[in-house]
Amino acid sequence: MSGKQHEVTFRFLAQPTDVNFGGKVHGGMAMKWIDQAGYACAVAWSGAYCVTVSVSGIQFVAPILIGDLVTVRARLIHTGTSSMHLAVDVLARDLRKGEQRLATSCVMVFVALDAPDGRPTPVPHWEPRDDNERRLQRQARELLELSKGMERLVDPGVADSD
Ligand SMILES: CCCCCCCCCCCCCCCC(=O)SCCNC(=O)CCNC(=O)[C@H](O)C(C)(C)COP(=O)(O)OP(=O)(O)OC[C@H]1O[C@@H](n2cnc3c(N)ncnc32)[C@H](O)[C@@H]1OP(=O)(O)O
């Protein structure tokens, strides 16, 4: 069934174990949910084991509180040969008031592997279907160029410096 499902949504309640001393969900917890939803979306699209290679432009725009209904939505916005670029949004709803707000968003890149410790393997091609998806695909390509620029800033000797 690879190449069919381009979107995955998780829904659950924010729990006391997810929050910090201020009563707000830890940024790291939100990132874990984002990684899991992105992983599920990438595996569903590719039909292969996938690894995270980058997370870009992560923004924490509103807090998530205990008891909020959390929605994590990951959707495909670009495919390369073995890579899948996903927009991931985290929404929080106060169930007493019914108001939903955007809490966190980012763009992630996953790569499909031919085995859990294997090499990159091709994924089904994804085509945008409307102007909004074409805009998101353009942004994914721009972020990829920025990401390549960041890679050039990494000191290749850093792994030997300890
Ligand atoms: C047995 C089953 C177990 C199941 C279990 C279930 C567990 C259920 C819980 C799951 C929870 C969540 C799980 C999340 C998954 C992880 O968290 S995985 C852990 C974190 N990630 C990693 O360890 C990945 C480490 N990186 C690598 O191993 C290597 O970089 C890779 C990914 C194999 C790529 O190797 P490479 O030599 O760079 O390959 P290369 O051919 O040059 O590039 C491949 C593609 O990557 C792209 N790429 C490389 N670097 C970048 C970058 N910085 N930015 C953008 N694109 C990039 C390239 O553009 C290329 O794209 P395409 O042109 O093919 O479309």
Side-chain angles (χ1 to χ4, degrees):
M1 277 294 282
S2 62
K4 295 266 187 277
Q5 188 178 345
H6 58 94
E7 185 169 324
V8 163
T9 302
F10 288 0
R11 269 198 194 91
F12 49 87
L13 294 174
Q15 299 186 16
T17 46
D18 301 329
V19 302
N20 60 27
F21 296 114
K24 293 168 182 159
V25 166
H26 290 284
M29 186 58 74
M31 288 165 78
K32 180 180 165 189
W33 297 335
I34 285 171
D35 204 28
Q36 290 176 338
Y39 174 81
C41 185
V43 172
W45 181 258
S46 62
Y49 176 70
C50 297
V51 288
T52 318
V53 291
S54 82
V55 182
S56 309
I58 189 155
Q59 310 265 353
F60 296 94
V61 292
I64 305 171
L65 308 174
I66 294 178
D68 280 348
L69 180 66
V70 179
T71 300
V72 188
R73 185 176 62 149
R75 59 199 156 122
L76 208 52
I77 57 169
H78 179 55
T79 50
T81 303
S82 66
S83 63
M84 290 155 285
H85 301 232
L86 313 175
V88 188
D89 299 319
V90 182
L91 305 156
R93 184 188 293 275
D94 179 338
L95 290 167
R96 289 161 301 182
K97 297 182 185 151
E99 291 161 3
Q100 180 158 265
R101 58 198 184 278
L102 176 68
T104 307
S105 68
C106 67
V107 171
M108 305 185 79
V109 180
F110 283 82
V111 168
L113 303 182
D114 55 14
D117 57 353
R119 291 295 304 156
T121 191
V123 299
H125 179 69
W126 174 85
E127 270 298 320
R129 295 161 302 175
D130 56 31
D131 284 349
N132 188 44
E133 289 187 350
R134 275 185 279 280
R135 181 182 59 80
L136 288 167
Q137 186 182 54
R138 263 196 313 278
Q139 286 175 356
R141 287 179 169 142
E142 285 166 15
L143 272 173
L144 181 60
E145 288 311 307
L146 278 173
S147 172
K148 285 180 183 163
M150 291 294 291
E151 273 175 32
R152 285 192 284 274
L153 292 176
V154 175
D155 173 4
V158 75
D160 306 319
S161 62
D162 199 14

